[in-house]
Amino acid sequence: MRRLALASVFVAGACLVHVGAEDLTTFALIAVAVGCGWAGSAWRHDWKLWRLSQRLEIISGEGQEIAIADRLAENANGLEQALATIERRLIERHGVSGLPTREPLLEQMEQDGSGVLGTFALDDFERLAGFDPDLAERVLLEIVGRIVRMIPAERLIAHVDQAHFAIWYGKDIDPLLARSEIDAIAYALGGRVQIGPREILPSIATRCAALVDGVTPQLLLTRTLASFALDDLAETHELSDQAIAQVQHRYAMEQDLRGAIARNEFQLFFQPLIDANWQCVTGAEALIRWNHPERGSVPPSLFIPIVEASGLAEEVGLWVLNAAARQASEWEGGTAGPLRIAINVSASQLHDAKFAEVLSRTLHNHSLDPACLEIELTEGVASTDDAALARLFGKIRALGVKIAIDDFGTGYSSFSTLRQLTFDKIKIDREFVTDVHRRPQSQAICQSIIALGRGLDIRVLAEGVETTEEYRWLVQHGCRHFQGYYFSRPLSAVDFLAFINDRASLTALLQSSIPVPQIERITS
């Protein structure tokens, strides 16, 4: 309509200009024709413009759709990459500890090519998790926290198995420095963990291995983790309530044992060693006893195997050594005079290269005459064909400390052991002493050991003597030294002194047979 109005104005204006002219009518027709043509042309032009705008809108819409599709494709690709990254991170991070898993560790080891791998194992995690999973996880997280706090940020720490952690020391690390750091970390990890009212003393095992040519990172890690496997001596593998209760009870006992020394729950008892020739007490065997505040007096037959299996033998053995030396020193300076105390030494103590040094320091600290101390070891330990053990024996004897072999006759290498190593005393195992007066086989063994000791100038002691008949037969066949319930059960230090002073009672026990006196000085 706007265009028609403009055309009409054009025609009217043209006619006004030519008013009074003779050809006004003709000019008017021409003006109308021109106006209509212009209007039509303008309309066609607008139509084209409109069609073009519509086309542009269509093209623009298609472009938006393409752009949106492209944008969606880009977002989808980005989302897929993000999900892959998250999935990778989830795989490479342990679900409980949040530490890297073995995959990043192996990649770093492969990249470095050489270095030192330190690994730690929370030994009793599986047992604890068996009857209290929540407590086990909280203990594990406490261990993780300690590791993270102690390790520099540049070290790679990985959670490589359920209760196994690894620290990778790159190729530039000194292996001795790595070993020292691993030992320090293990010591700190073994500190008590307080979870609410529960107090746990973790048992931490360590390994240190070098990545060298010919060994792949995967193989090194696999071998290291496999080395943590321990020989489980449980009576049953049955997953019954009774079996779980037994494992739980054993674990609780082990935990209590780990803190028994600090809580002063151990005590030494002393079983008299009798010299039938001189009819007197020459010393005692120190026997450890455990007085638990709730369990009461725990028999050694129950807790000693746990001590040995849980790696506590060295710690408990060191306590026994110091307690025995302290007691012997008190007796040496008192009215009882010098008395020799025999202590049992475990295989783990003997395999410690510093045992002789520890023994020497103990004697010095308690100002004790070395002749007042005697170490006993089982035949199985003594019969080890080990040059290092022979050298250790030489160092011990050089200190003046006596060495005895316990349970003699129960092994197959007794005589070869005596030929290779030098002992001061042989103890006939109680297995052959029991009812010896009526068992021909035991009589033959006892007579052979007594004759062997006489020929090698080694004292022979019969342990486990419980009856008059056993004592009489042994003394009549040349045995001079005795230990057993026939004379006395293990006694406290106070009761032991009372036993020594009760000479009349001891004389009455020894009157069953009168042996021929032989001189022996305990300080020789």
Side-chain angles (χ1 to χ4, degrees):
M1 293 301 292
R2 185 171 60 87
R3 294 185 185 92
L4 291 175
L6 289 174
S8 299
V9 172
F10 169 76
V11 173
C15 291
L16 288 175
V17 172
H18 291 82
V19 173
E22 293 180 357
D23 55 352
L24 176 62
T25 303
T26 302
F27 182 80
L29 293 174
I30 294 172
V32 171
V34 171
C36 291
W38 176 82
S41 176
W43 181 85
R44 288 193 300 272
H45 176 73
D46 287 350
W47 172 253
K48 291 180 180 179
L49 289 178
W50 180 80
R51 291 293 301 274
L52 179 61
S53 67
Q54 292 296 310
R55 180 62 180 166
L56 288 175
E57 288 179 3
I58 293 173
I59 294 174
S60 176
E62 291 176 354
Q64 287 181 348
E65 291 177 358
I66 295 172
I68 292 172
D70 291 341
R71 186 71 59 83
L72 288 175
E74 291 176 0
N75 290 340
N77 291 335
L79 182 59
E80 184 177 352
Q81 293 177 359
L83 290 174
T85 301
I86 294 173
E87 183 178 2
R88 178 179 174 84
R89 289 180 178 176
L90 289 175
I91 294 175
E92 294 182 350
R93 290 283 173 175
H94 195 277
V96 176
S97 66
L99 292 176
T101 57
R102 65 175 62 195
E103 285 76 18
L105 172 67
L106 294 174
E107 290 179 5
Q108 187 64 50
M109 292 171 66
E110 184 71 32
Q111 180 179 338
D112 291 346
S114 63
V116 177
L117 180 68
T119 48
F120 303 85
L122 180 57
D123 276 347
D124 38 15
F125 176 80
E126 291 185 359
R127 287 187 296 164
L128 181 58
F131 52 85
D132 196 336
D134 181 66
L135 178 61
E137 183 172 312
R138 295 173 69 182
V139 172
L140 186 71
L141 290 176
E142 174 62 27
I143 295 298
V144 170
R146 292 180 182 182
I147 294 177
V148 172
R149 288 193 296 270
M150 288 185 291
I151 299 301
E154 63 271 15
R155 295 251 195 272
L156 175 58
I157 314 168
H159 194 161
V160 293
D161 206 353
Q162 187 176 27
H164 295 78
F165 305 92
I167 300 176
W168 173 242
Y169 299 87
K171 54 187 176 181
D172 298 328
I173 193 70
D174 181 358
L176 294 179
L177 178 61
R179 175 76 264 183
S180 176
E181 184 172 305
I182 291 169
D183 290 340
I185 294 171
Y187 177 80
L189 296 181
R192 64 186 72 251
V193 177
Q194 191 73 39
I195 306 294
R198 297 290 301 275
E199 183 180 272
I200 301 296
L201 287 172
S203 173
I204 306 296
T206 65
R207 296 291 186 273
C208 185
L211 180 62
V212 296
D213 293 339
V215 178
T216 65
Q218 178 68 49
L219 180 60
L220 179 66
L221 180 60
T222 301
R223 286 179 177 175
T224 302
L225 294 178
S227 70
F228 283 103
L230 302 176
D231 294 332
D232 192 356
L233 301 181
E235 289 81 8
T236 178
H237 296 286
E238 181 185 357
L239 295 178
S240 62
D241 293 342
Q242 182 180 2
I244 294 175
Q246 290 177 351
V247 173
Q248 185 173 3
H249 176 73
R250 183 182 177 90
Y251 178 79
M253 288 268 288
E254 182 179 323
Q255 288 297 312
D256 290 343
L257 280 168
R258 291 184 183 279
I261 293 178
R263 295 190 294 268
N264 296 316
E265 294 175 1
F266 286 138
Q267 181 183 3
L268 280 188
F269 271 55
F270 304 90
Q271 189 167 33
L273 304 178
I274 308 299
D275 185 332
N277 291 331
W278 290 96
Q279 299 192 357
C280 67
V281 178
T282 60
E285 179 180 1
L287 301 169
I288 189 171
R289 294 294 183 266
W290 183 21
N291 298 312
H292 192 277
E294 297 177 359
R295 306 176 192 273
S297 180
V298 182
S301 59
L302 291 183
F303 74 84
I304 292 298
I306 300 178
V307 167
E308 295 175 347
S310 59
L312 294 171
E314 288 190 54
E315 182 181 357
V316 174
L318 182 60
W319 180 88
V320 171
L321 174 61
N322 277 283
R326 181 168 53 251
Q327 187 60 71
S329 180
E330 291 180 7
W331 285 341
E332 186 181 17
T335 58
L339 293 167
R340 179 178 296 141
I341 295 184
I343 62 171
N344 293 282
V345 177
S346 66
S348 59
Q349 288 177 278
L350 286 177
H351 288 122
D352 183 357
K354 297 183 179 180
F355 179 72
E357 179 182 337
V358 171
L359 194 59
S360 176
R361 186 166 58 248
T362 302
L363 294 171
H364 178 268
N365 291 343
H366 295 284
S367 301
L368 181 63
D369 183 348
C372 293
L373 194 63
E374 182 176 75
I375 67 170
E376 293 185 1
L377 57 152
T378 63
E379 183 183 340
V381 175
S383 61
T384 303
D385 186 10
D386 190 344
L389 185 60
R391 290 193 295 271
L392 177 61
F393 273 37
K395 293 178 181 179
I396 293 173
R397 293 179 62 81
L399 292 174
V401 176
K402 303 298 182 182
I403 303 176
I405 181 170
D406 199 4
D407 304 333
F408 191 80
T410 57
Y412 294 100
S413 56
S414 303
F415 299 111
S416 61
T417 299
L418 290 177
R419 186 178 67 251
Q420 296 171 3
L421 302 172
T422 303
F423 296 91
D424 300 287
K425 184 170 70 178
I426 300 172
K427 298 182 72 173
I428 305 175
D429 188 74
R430 65 180 302 166
E431 177 183 345
F432 309 115
V433 171
T434 301
D435 293 332
V436 65
H437 56 287
R438 57 187 181 189
R439 295 171 59 191
Q441 291 182 339
S442 294
Q443 292 174 4
I445 293 174
C446 289
Q447 285 179 308
S448 298
I449 296 176
I450 293 170
L452 180 65
R454 185 182 299 113
L456 297 176
D457 194 22
I458 300 176
R459 284 177 293 137
V460 176
L461 180 144
E463 62 178 339
V465 179
E466 296 187 356
T467 66
T468 303
E469 292 78 14
E470 292 168 357
Y471 166 69
R472 181 182 295 116
W473 189 96
L474 288 164
V475 77
Q476 288 177 350
H477 287 83
C479 189
R480 300 291 178 260
H481 302 275
F482 300 91
Q483 174 186 355
Y485 277 33
Y486 172 70
F487 299 98
S488 173
R489 65 181 59 248
L491 304 169
S492 67
V494 174
D495 292 338
F496 180 81
L497 287 180
F499 179 84
I500 292 177
N501 294 326
D502 188 3
R503 294 184 177 274
S505 297
L506 179 59
T507 300
L509 293 172
L510 294 170
Q511 289 304 314
S512 296
S513 179
I514 306 299
V516 178
Q518 290 183 351
I519 297 175
E520 179 195 356
R521 297 174 58 194
I522 71 167
T523 58
S524 59

